[in-house]
Amino acid sequence: DTEVTQTPKHLVMGMTNKKSLKCEQHMGHRAMYWYKQKAKKPPELMFVYSYEKLSINESVPSRFSPECPNSSLLNLHLHALQPEDSALYLCASSHRDSSNQPQHFGDGTRLSIL
Amino acid sequence: TQLLEQSPQFLSIQEGENLTVYCNSSSVFSSLQWYRQEPGEGPVLLVTVVTGGEVKKLKRLTFQFGDARKDSSLHITAAQPGDTGLYLCAGEFYNTDKLIFGTGTRLQVFP
């Protein structure tokens, strides 16, 4: 069992829908990440939050909107997505008290855009 | 531009064989991590190597970080069907929150 919990596990939505992906960890980690993973490809970094502040946005389209309400929660709000946005969305967390800290991943949300 | 290249891309072997996966870059990393990912799951950390030349062993898996901190290898001895999965190396740059994943090696071990 992973210590990073992502919900929902699967999501099917139309291009005009608004939905949110949720991620939760209770390991006291102060850095949280969103990745996008297409089939047979490695994860690609989207956003990084460090101490609840957005520290990295990898030029992600504005139809993806991250939010970090507190140190344990990370959301990804979705609006007007395109079919090419269908992918596995992974959340991860790590300590930020020093460098070289490994990231712990959730099992992801598999998103399908109709 | 892919900063971390893994080879081979695919590997299909019989149970009991040995194998080595390589992770190469022209960039210097502060650390390098190896993950294994199975279908329907997120990547699971296997090891983190930090010091140039470092060797770490995890049961039948041996990980090495290159002296120049630009490359790494994973050697599996006597592979088992349970080793099947996608192996990913990932490098962290100094003083950043960014983890860059390698291109991945998909391993299939047949009984």
Side-chain angles (χ1 to χ4, degrees):
Chain A
D1 287 339
T2 179
E3 295 177 82
V4 176
T5 304
Q6 290 188 243
T7 55
K9 288 194 177 302
H10 302 276
L11 179 62
V12 179
M13 57 187 286
M15 288 189 284
T16 58
N17 292 157
K18 282 187 181 181
K19 296 286 185 184
S20 296
L21 309 185
K22 297 187 183 301
C23 175
E24 189 169 0
Q25 58 86 16
H26 295 288
M27 294 179 282
H29 290 173
R30 301 308 298 273
M32 296 186 77
Y33 312 79
W34 280 115
Y35 289 86
K36 174 182 178 180
Q37 186 176 24
K38 300 284 277 186
K40 302 188 190 303
K41 297 290 187 182
E44 295 178 5
L45 182 65
M46 299 174 71
F47 302 104
V48 180
Y49 273 82
S50 182
Y51 294 92
E52 294 97 71
K53 292 194 185 321
L54 183 65
S55 61
I56 295 177
N57 176 342
E58 289 287 279
S59 302
V60 179
S62 60
R63 57 185 184 268
F64 295 91
S65 176
E67 178 197 19
C68 190
N70 60 58
S71 60
S72 299
L73 293 174
L74 184 67
N75 299 321
L76 185 62
H77 303 297
L78 314 173
H79 175 55
L81 295 195
Q82 303 297 309
E84 61 264 28
D85 297 322
S86 297
L88 179 68
Y89 288 83
L90 293 163
C91 173
S93 68
S94 70
H95 287 292
R96 284 315 299 164
D97 52 348
S98 63
S99 59
N100 304 326
Q101 294 295 323
Q103 293 185 18
H104 298 256
F105 285 82
D107 285 337
T109 293
R110 188 158 298 281
L111 177 65
S112 298
I113 307 299
L114 301 178
Chain B
T1 303
Q2 183 61 49
L3 293 178
L4 272 171
E5 294 286 342
Q6 286 183 237
S7 61
Q9 203 174 352
F10 302 98
L11 198 51
S12 184
I13 61 174
Q14 291 293 128
E15 181 176 3
E17 292 185 35
N18 301 333
L19 66 116
T20 301
V21 177
Y22 298 94
C23 174
N24 294 298
S25 174
S26 57
S27 301
V28 176
F29 296 102
S30 64
S31 70
L32 200 134
Q33 301 166 19
W34 283 92
Y35 293 83
R36 183 172 71 209
Q37 185 176 21
E38 299 189 37
E41 299 181 6
V44 175
L45 179 73
L46 297 174
V47 79
T48 300
V49 285
V50 177
T51 306
E54 182 177 6
V55 176
K56 280 191 175 179
K57 288 182 185 280
L58 184 67
K59 296 183 181 177
R60 294 175 294 100
L61 279 59
T62 302
F63 304 86
Q64 183 159 9
F65 200 13
D67 290 341
R69 309 162 79 104
K70 294 182 180 181
D71 54 84
S72 181
S73 64
L74 157 61
H75 182 78
I76 301 180
T77 303
Q80 299 177 1
D83 295 327
T84 293
L86 176 65
Y87 287 81
L88 294 160
C89 64
E92 182 176 0
F93 291 106
Y94 290 95
N95 300 320
T96 72
D97 289 326
K98 290 181 69 165
L99 197 63
I100 305 298
F101 278 88
T103 47
T105 295
R106 198 164 294 276
L107 172 65
Q108 177 86 51
V109 183
F110 291 98

